[in-house]
Every structure is written in C-alpha cells, then in structure tokens.
Amino acid sequence: MLRAPAKPGALLLLLLVCGTALQGARGQDATPEAADAVPETPAAVAAPSAKDRQFREGAEARPFQAEVSRMMDIIIHSLYSNKDIFLRELVSNAADALDKIRFLSLTDKSQLGEGDTAKLEMLLSVDPEQKMISLRDRGVGMTRADLVSNLGTIAKSGTAAFLEQMQKGGDLNLIGQFGVGFYSVYLVADYVEVVTKHNDDVQLIWESKADGSFAISEDREGPPLGRGTQINIYLKDSCQEYLQEDKLKELVQRYSEFINFPIYMLTHSTVNKEVPIEGEEGAAPEELSDEEKSAKGDVEVADEEEEEEGEAAKAPKTRTVTEQVSEWKALNDNQALWLRPPGDVSDEEYAKFYKALSKNEWDTPLAHSHFKAEGDVEFKAVMFVPGQATPDLYDNYYARKPSIKLYVRRVFISESFEDLLPKWLSFLVGLVDSDTMPLNVSREMLQLHEGLKVIRKKLVRKAIDMIKKLADGQDRALKELEEKDAAKAAAAEGEEAGAEKAAGEEEERKKLEEQGKAYTKFWTGFGKSLKMGLIEDQGNRRRLLPLLRFHSSKSPDKQISLAQYVEGMKEGQKHIYYLVGTSKEEVAGSPFVESLVERGYEVLFMTDPLDEYVMQNVQEFEDKEFANVSKEDLKMGDKDEVEKKAQKKAKEEFKGLAKWWKESLGAAVENVKVSKRLATTPCVVVSSKYGWSATMEKIARAQTLGDADRAKYMRGQRSLEINPRHPLIRELKAQQEASPDSAAVKENAQLLYQTCLLESGFMLDDMKDFNARVFRLLAKDMNVKDLSVAREEAEPQGADDGDEEEAAGAAEEEDAAAAGGAEVPDDAELQRMMEQMKDMGMQHTEL
C-alpha cells in the first residue's frame, strides 16, 4: 500500500516552525544549566513516515539475518522484564552518536556543521494522536551501509555475544549497546522508523515491524534533519502509558540523569491569560513619551492621585482565556560532578550532589571521597558517608543492598549493584562510572568480570581511607583544642587579646569542636558496620582495627582508639586487656578487672554484643596480643621475685582447700586454684581459654534457633579461682580443715561458689537450689528455726455476729459431706495429704 503524501501547505508550515524553533537550542558544549537560550517555540519533529504502517513505495526491502530475527523474538517475548529500559537504551545510543560527531569535529570542524545542526542535544516528544514517541539526536547519523550492518545484521553490536550467552543459559536481562539495545524498542512498539542523515549520505529511512524484514529508502518528503537520527516509535496498544509526559520524564531522570548532552522534552501545559475585550469603550492608555514623562514630573501629589483614579476608570476591560503553551524543558539538570577534577568541586557542590543521590534533602554528609582509577579498568567514583544512620540500617543486615549506583559511560546500569561493595559498607552512598566495563554482556557475566573485582577492591580501600581521614581529622582537632586551651591559660596571665582577634579565635574554635565530634558521630551511627567488616573482611582487618573506639578503665567517659591504648601501656606490658559485658557499669565493677586496675593496667570495656564475635577473629594489634581478663591463664607482665614466692606459698597453703572444694563441686568446675587477678572479691569463675565467655553464653542462650547441646559443648570447662587474702576464703579453709565432712561447711562452699558464679556473669543452671540456700542462710541469721509454712485455718464459728450466715453455710456443707460418707480430715490427716501432694510435684519444695 502506498503512503499518503503529505499536503504541501502543511509540510511548508512544519518546516517554518522547525526552522524558527531550533534557533535557540544549545550549542556544542552547553549543559542544561548553562544553556544561553532555550527554544521559545517548540521544534517540530519529523512527520510520521508511514501512517498505515506499510513500507514506502520503492523502498528496498530486506530480510533480517537469521540470528537477528531469532534475537528479536527473544527480546520481544522473554528478554526484558522491565519495559522501561527501552528509553535508556535509545538515549544511550544517541549519546554515543553525539560523542562520535564531537570527536570527528576535533580534527574537522566542518563535520559539525553550522546553526542548529551544530547543537549537540537530544529532543524527545510525544504525539498522542499518532500514538508515537520521537527521540531525535544531532549525532553522527548513519549511512545506508550503517543501517544495514547495525540494524539488520550481526556486526559489532554485541548481537553475537548475546546469542552465545543465551545459548549457555545465562541471564537474559542484557545490558545493551547499539544493536542489541536498539531492539529493546520492540518491547513497546509494533512499528519503528529510523530517520537518519549522515554527512556522507542522503537522508534515509529505516522501517520495520519486527516481522522478519526491514526496508530502507531515501527520505524525500520529510523535513531535513541536517544531521543526526530520529527514531519514531509507534506504541503497542498495551503500552499507551508511555505517551504520558510525566512517565517519560521520570524514565529519563532515572536512567539518563547524568548523560553528557542535554535532553529536552516537548511539554504542553495550560495557562490562564488576561486579554482585553474587543469593542468596549474603555481603551488602554497610550504610552507617554520621554518628554511628556519629564513634563509630568512637577505635578503635585493631589493631582497624581486624581490621575490614578482616572486611569483606573479608563483601564481596558479584560477577560480570562485558557491557552495551550508548548515549550522545550531540560530533563537532565544534574551535572556529572564526578567527571570534574576533585579540586574544582566545592563542599557545597558535594553536599548538593549527595542530596541528589540519596534523595535526602535534610541530611549532610560527614565525609566524601572523589577519585579516578586508571589502569586495565578505568573508572571514576564519588562516595559519601551519610550524616546519620537510618533507623532500619541493621534490621535486615544481610538482605540490605549497597546504595552505590553503577554507570557505564554515564549510562545508568543498576540502582544497587551488590558486587560493588561488601555488606558491611552498605551504609555508603555513591556512584561509580566506568569507561572500560563492557555494556554488551549479560548481568551474570558482568558480575564475573575481572574489572568488577578491581573496582570493588579499590572502592573498599578508598572507603576505609575516607573513614580513617575522618578519624584522623578528629584527633588533630582535639589536639589543637588542647593546645589552644593551654595557650589561652598562659595568655590569661599576660596582656588581653583584642576583640577582633578573640572573635576570630572563637570562630576557629567552633570549627575545631565540630571536627572533634565528627568521628564520634560516625562511630555512634556506623560503628557496628566496621565491626562487621572485621568479622567478614579478613583482608582489611589490619586497616579496620585502628578505627575501633572503646571506653576503658582509665577513660570511662571518652572513647579511645587501640593506638591510644598502646601508647599508654605500662612498661613491660605485653597484652591488651579487655572485658566484654552488657554495660559499661557492669564491666567497670566486675571482679575480673579489680586487680588489674589496682596494679595500674588499663582495661578496655567492650559492651556491644558484636565485640564477642570481633575478638574471636582478632588476635593482636601492633604485635600486642589481646587478652580477655575473664579467661584462665591471665598474664599480667613480669613479676618480681617477692611476688612469685608469695604466690607459690599461697598455692601450697590452699592446696588442701582447693582439692576438697573441687571434689565437693564435682563436674561443675574443672579445677579450683589460687587466683592472681582478685583484690577484694573472694572468688570468681573463669572460662577456659578457648571456651565461651559469660557474655557469649548469654548471647547463645538468647538465640531462638540455638542448639542447646552445641552451646553446652562450646562453653567449655570452668575454673574456680579463689582469693587467698579474703576473710571468707580463709574462714572456709579453717572450717574445712576442722570438719571436712561437715554438711554446713559444704553448704557454705556451695553457696559461695554459686554467688561468685553469678557475679562473674554466668547463669545458674538451678536457680531454685540457689534460692533455697539463700533462704536457709537468712533463716539462720534471723534465728528462724523452722521454715515450714503453717496451714491457713478457718475462723471459729460464732466469732463474729456478722459471720453467722457463713458459719451456718459451712455447717451445712459439713453435714452434707457426712451424709455422703465423706469425713472431714483432722490436722494429722491433712498433713499426710500435703506430703503426698509434695511427692507428686503439686507443691513447691518446703524450704
């Protein structure tokens, strides 16, 4: 069927509108923000080439290559689950064409052309009547041979690579380049026209319905493009939502926000306008000349008021009319900040860019890292540390995806590509743009690409460096503040500084105080993430250890680093002492730390449940081994001869008590020995060197799906350490030597062990037994000889006149029971019944 020719008058009008509208378009190096002029009148797009969707008369029809036909069938029916991707692919292709002509113009300026043709931009428009979307670029265009090779056969478009991957059963959600990516348009279209003009060829039209053939013909009827390509997409009936301007705007801003070239969209809006009413007597006042305005300058105020009233009366009558306004609007306003050198970007620009990435207008980043990597894999990246953690950051840690966007040549690929960063850095916000990563491979292949591994490794290193820089900045700021305070105290005795100097110092001080709080703020929000990094990322543990912060026995209010701990170690100290607990107060008051503190050693307070897992994966820092003070075989540096002799003597002296106590406790402890870590506590229970600590046992017991048998095995053997100087221990020793088989002595020893077990942070297996011993101890102290609880007796009958009815009712019940053969038990019988109930477990054990 022949295509209906366009009317000459309509065609001429279309050409005039096109020529007028494109005069204000941007030039070659313009960006959406810096455009000198945006078209006041919308530029017209090329007229639809085939309203009846048939090939033109005289067009050269060709069949698609077999592989291409098969590929198109796969794309249309099973490739992309998200149809929105078609616009991303077309914009990417247009950007490539614009890049190519810009490159050619560097050596031959005539390639670029003049006027509107020289403006490197994209124009997007919608024709609801034709159900068509048009995307036009002023790129290099295509010759007849280019149309055949790029859109009809397998060339260098990546089609062959796609088919190979498809045959292997790989992920079919391909990331397309021109060729594979172009055919994604058939996800939404049932007919496509490609109107193109290359400097070396005439204006051509490529058209196809993806039915196995395409046609190429010379375009003699449509308006001249000058140079470039326009794709007319006739939408399927099921894809009419893409005719909505808001939908297309959202797709461009999502996928092509940082394309180098401006993307304009023809938008339509309705405005209200006031126009004068024709035929009315009132007419608009004439504009006065300069001489008349000067002559009126001497008029008095009263006359001016009269004139104003007269002008108001003479003002023309107007009416409100509705008018359709069409204009080109830039869709990609955000510049690709990462393409600029870091030294050319201000902190304010970084903050604005962070808000655009994070979609968080009220947050300000704590730190940023902007760098370029060169080598086998070239990429640029910008990463930010958020100002504060989101409330749900650790709610679902392993399911959380990193907030790092992946771009390839400014084309958006993924919102959160999981292989770019490890889980423990998922709190970072940023962007990666690679010029060397392939676009014509599947997502599965991209995940296995060696370049991605290089990018990941570099990003992790840069992220750690960024966090370390934040920590070092805080340390320097605090040090400067201390120096300023010292200098201020010294200057207070001398001459007073001037007001101007004092104001400058105060401003500088506020800045230092803000820097001095930056890393503390980071550690509060994201400290758990660094600890997860220590657990999961073995290769970066040495880099992460200096970033940890803890309270300590010498710094209970201010957190310190491991480097600060090592700097303050005692001479001859070989270990970094720490204790894990549920709170700072609990750890500070623990019997495990009292002797160490008494001797002048510093103990780190670890109060996060993650600390237990961290210390299982960390052995040393700067050649200093970590030592858990709640474990056995604690070493506290070199001892002098006097101390060694005293400890040896104590072991010999309490050898008998230790042996007896071990036999009394049975399998509850592995051994009983004299302690060297206690100062004021009679005894403590310590876990084995490789067993679970008390805190770890609590964590294991709290697991919903925990294995009780495994937990019992992992907790290891416990040891009881006694303080030979404590009065209770010495008295117990004396009583044991005097009456080794006494039940009372064994009772005291058992109670003392259970009490120290609780104080050491462990949980009792039989809490009821412990409570019974405490009650018996209280009874002895309070001179209570019998803990038996007497039976509650009923009040005597007739004791109160008001209870006569109750007494009568009770008598009736006794009579009824007697009539039925039941006997009311006396006290002895009742006691016997209670004993039976106790044996059956129906009553608590009598204390």
Side-chain angles (χ1 to χ4, degrees), residues 758-777:
L758 288 174
E759 190 174 14
S760 301
F762 294 97
M763 299 177 67
L764 291 172
D765 294 329
D766 189 353
M767 182 62 71
K768 187 176 180 181
D769 178 66
F770 171 74
N771 292 337
R773 296 179 191 278
V774 173
F775 293 152
R776 287 195 291 268
L777 181 64

Side-chain angles (χ1 to χ4, degrees), residues 608-820:
D608 189 341
L610 272 177
D611 293 334
E612 279 283 359
Y613 298 95
V614 169
M615 301 315 297
Q616 291 178 14
N617 292 275
V618 176
Q619 283 74 43
E620 62 180 23
F621 174 76
E622 295 184 0
D623 298 329
K624 305 291 184 182
E625 292 184 1
F626 287 96
N628 189 338
V629 299
S630 68
K631 297 292 185 72
E632 63 181 1
D633 297 332
L634 178 66
K635 298 178 181 179
M636 291 187 283
D638 297 332
K639 303 176 185 177
D640 55 25
E641 292 299 324
V642 176
E643 188 177 0
K644 289 181 180 180
K645 289 181 179 180
Q647 188 173 0
K648 185 177 180 181
K649 181 181 178 181
K651 285 184 179 180
E652 189 65 28
E653 181 181 356
F654 286 84
K655 183 178 180 180
L657 176 64
K659 182 179 179 181
W660 172 84
W661 208 342
K662 169 64 179 72
E663 294 175 353
S664 176
L665 294 175
V669 297
E670 185 179 14
N671 55 52
V672 179
K673 55 186 178 181
V674 175
S675 177
K676 55 188 175 182
R677 75 181 81 210
L678 298 176
T680 60
T681 303
C683 57
V684 291
V685 178
V686 298
S687 56
S688 60
K689 187 175 183 180
Y690 300 105
W692 280 349
S693 65
T695 305
M696 191 63 198
E697 280 193 32
K698 292 178 182 177
I699 296 173
R701 288 194 181 193
Q703 300 300 316
T704 305
L705 302 177
D707 187 344
D709 294 335
R710 179 178 177 271
K712 186 176 181 180
Y713 170 77
M714 288 299 298
R715 77 181 188 182
Q717 291 292 325
R718 299 167 179 169
S719 297
L720 176 64
E721 294 189 1
I722 59 177
N723 185 355
R725 298 177 295 164
H726 199 279
L728 286 178
I729 299 299
R730 302 193 70 85
E731 179 61 26
L732 182 65
K733 176 178 176 293
Q735 292 182 6
Q736 181 269 331
E737 291 176 349
S739 302
D741 298 328
S742 172
V745 176
K746 291 182 178 180
E747 173 87 355
N748 293 335
Q750 183 70 19
L751 181 58
L752 187 57
Y753 163 74
Q754 291 178 330
T755 305
C756 292
L757 188 69
L758 288 174
E759 190 174 14
S760 301
F762 294 97
M763 299 177 67
L764 291 172
D765 294 329
D766 189 353
M767 182 62 71
K768 187 176 180 181
D769 178 66
F770 171 74
N771 292 337
R773 296 179 191 278
V774 173
F775 293 152
R776 287 195 291 268
L777 181 64
L778 288 173
K780 182 179 179 181
D781 184 69
M782 299 171 67
N783 295 322
V784 177
K785 295 181 179 180
D786 187 6
L787 290 177
S788 301
V789 180
R791 180 177 67 88
E792 184 177 0
E793 298 180 358
E795 294 183 1
Q797 297 183 9
D800 191 348
D801 295 337
D803 295 335
E804 291 180 358
E805 295 180 2
E806 294 182 5
E812 291 176 1
E813 291 180 1
E814 291 180 4
D815 294 340

